[in-house]
Amino acid sequence: MPDTLLEQHAAALRLFGERLRAVADDQWDAPTPCTEWTVRDLVNHVTGEQLWIPPLVAEGRTVEEMGDAFSGDVLGGDPVAAWEEASAAAHAAFAAPGALERTVRLSYGPALGSAYCSELTADCVVHTWDLSRGIGADDRLPDGLVEFSIKEVMPYADGLAASGMYAEPLEVPAGANAQTRLLALLGRRG
């Protein structure tokens, strides 16, 4: 299991990339558990999230300064290449000296780089499950990333549904494993 936040982040990016490389040509329009999104929409969203990291973390820019720079299609004709470039730049920005201790100005207010990295790591883990479901791949997530994500999401899980970004948390069945608990926190049935 990865020990540091940066190792967790790298592991989540690798996992998403593995699932992305498994998308067949005829699966880009397939539905995902994110009811508004196709597989391509989901990959576009997660890739777009990575594009925000260098300007916000490394350059100290604000969401307002960036405006709609990453809205619309960020994948172009080669979604895998777009992901690989964006995820490598995102990880490099978080791995730069002092980046995790730096204050980042996000849409919901200031946060430490480490908090932003944790949030996006958990988000990437959950969206890997969504992508896996969308393409019919193995949707089991690594235990270490699941445990990391539960610890990240637990403090603010109730607020996520109110934000409109996630469905209401589901009741967790008795004896549920960690992955089922994580997915239930985010309104997903595993």
Side-chain angles (χ1 to χ4, degrees):
M1 177 175 134
D3 293 324
T4 70
L5 174 56
L6 288 173
E7 289 170 336
Q8 295 281 6
H9 182 251
L13 294 175
R14 274 193 308 275
L15 184 64
F16 189 85
E18 289 168 8
R19 294 301 195 284
L20 171 56
R21 286 185 287 285
V23 177
D25 290 342
D26 64 349
Q27 292 179 312
W28 290 102
D29 292 325
T32 69
C34 303
T35 56
E36 306 284 318
W37 290 340
T38 64
V39 165
R40 184 175 175 93
D41 296 333
L42 175 72
V43 172
N44 191 69
H45 164 74
V46 180
T47 303
E49 286 185 322
Q50 306 316 307
L51 292 171
W52 281 97
I53 296 168
L56 296 179
V57 174
E59 300 168 21
R61 299 188 66 188
T62 66
V63 172
E64 293 77 23
E65 288 172 341
M66 295 304 298
D68 62 358
F70 303 120
S71 61
D73 179 23
V74 299
L75 299 177
D78 190 345
V80 173
W83 163 258
E84 288 176 353
E85 185 177 326
S87 63
H91 188 71
F94 279 134
L100 296 180
E101 294 79 34
R102 190 172 299 139
T103 297
V104 182
R105 293 171 292 168
L106 304 172
S107 60
Y108 55 80
L112 281 177
S114 58
Y116 185 38
C117 185
S118 293
E119 175 187 327
L120 289 183
T121 298
D123 191 72
C124 190
V125 170
V126 173
H127 284 318
T128 297
W129 182 85
D130 294 330
L131 179 57
S132 298
R133 281 289 176 105
I135 65 171
D138 182 0
D139 65 6
R140 287 174 295 172
L141 301 167
D143 292 342
L145 286 173
V146 169
E147 291 295 339
F148 173 90
S149 299
I150 288 173
K151 289 177 189 162
E152 169 60 25
V153 171
M154 187 72 76
Y156 54 82
D158 290 341
L160 289 174
S163 74
M165 294 171 52
Y166 290 90
E168 290 289 329
L170 303 175
E171 189 172 321
V172 179
N177 66 22
Q179 180 170 315
T180 301
R181 289 194 323 270
L182 171 65
L183 296 172
L185 280 172
L186 300 172
R188 291 160 168 84
R189 198 170 308 284

